């Protein structure tokens, strides 16, 4: 949980009750493992032996956001990491973070980061390139 809160740049995730955190820990681990695949609340709730609506309320109470919002946030964080560390195309990255449609990925990425995936990479690599030019 501490690692997730550290990765939460926007301050969306709030620390929670330790008992609730313990209940949600298996779900959070499962979500991280399933980001590349379809990640449905019904699948996770049944694995944890919870009713789907009860689990949705529990998740929202514990995480301060809906299950879907959390999964999207984690996919965007993973996409951000892959864009900056891998030389894959945007289409490949969209598949690696669980999107079947690159257009849907592009739209959500733009909404989340305020720019396209390519613009995001250019913004992040520009300072590094300009500092290398200054050193020469």
């Amino acid at each position: 949980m501490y690692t997730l809160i550290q990765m939460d740049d926007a301050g969306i995730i709030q620390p929670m009750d330790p008992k609730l955190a313990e209940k949600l820990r298996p779900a959070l681990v499962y979500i991280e493992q399933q980001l590349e695949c379809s990640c449905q609340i019904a699948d996770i709730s049944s694995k944890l032996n919870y009713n789907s609506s009860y689990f949705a309320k529990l998740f929202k109470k514990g995480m301060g956001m809906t299950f879907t919002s959390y999964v999207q946030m984690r996919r965007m964080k993973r996409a951000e990491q892959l864009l900056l560390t891998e030389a894959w195309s945007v289409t490949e990255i969209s598949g690696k973070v669980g999107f079947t449609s690159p257009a849907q990925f592009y739209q959500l990425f733009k909404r989340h980061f305020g720019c396209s995936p390519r613009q995001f990479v250019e913004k992040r690599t520009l300072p590094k390139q300009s500092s290398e030019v200054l050193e020469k």
Side-chain angles (χ1 to χ4, degrees), residues 1-2 4-5 8 11-17 20-21 23-25 27-28 31-32 55-71 73-74:
M1 180 55 75
Y2 179 72
L4 292 174
I5 292 171
D8 180 25
I12 297 170
I13 301 173
Q14 301 297 319
M16 68 177 89
D17 170 28
L20 186 53
K23 285 182 178 181
L24 290 178
R25 185 181 320 276
L28 298 175
I31 290 168
E32 289 301 312
F55 179 72
K57 290 175 186 172
L58 186 73
F59 194 91
K60 176 140 175 123
K61 181 180 178 186
M63 298 305 292
M65 68 178 73
T66 65
F67 175 82
T68 303
S69 295
Y70 178 79
V71 170
M73 180 193 70
R74 293 302 309 134

Side-chain angles (χ1 to χ4, degrees), residues 57-127:
K57 290 175 186 172
L58 186 73
F59 194 91
K60 176 140 175 123
K61 181 180 178 186
M63 298 305 292
M65 68 178 73
T66 65
F67 175 82
T68 303
S69 295
Y70 178 79
V71 170
Q72 286 179 349
M73 180 193 70
R74 293 302 309 134
R75 285 182 170 158
M76 289 298 102
K77 292 304 273 183
R78 175 81 54 87
E80 175 184 26
Q81 177 188 24
L82 293 174
L83 280 166
L84 296 174
T85 59
E86 302 295 338
W88 297 335
S89 71
V90 173
T91 302
E92 288 173 306
I93 289 174
S94 71
K96 293 285 184 190
V97 295
F99 288 89
T100 54
S101 163
Q104 182 187 18
F105 167 74
Y106 185 90
Q107 182 181 27
L108 187 60
F109 190 93
K110 196 163 187 172
R111 188 177 333 138
H112 189 82
F113 290 102
C115 61
S116 72
R118 284 288 148 229
Q119 291 169 333
F120 178 83
V121 171
E122 288 170 7
K123 285 180 190 177
R124 296 294 177 108
T125 56
L126 248 176

Side-chain angles (χ1 to χ4, degrees), residues 30-58:
Y30 184 79
I31 290 168
E32 289 301 312
Q33 293 169 346
Q34 299 298 314
L35 280 180
E36 193 172 326
C37 309
S38 174
C39 203
Q40 302 293 322
I41 197 165
D43 297 336
I44 293 177
S45 59
S46 68
K47 282 193 178 297
L48 300 175
N49 295 319
Y50 289 125
N51 173 289
S52 291
S53 61
Y54 171 76
F55 179 72
K57 290 175 186 172
L58 186 73

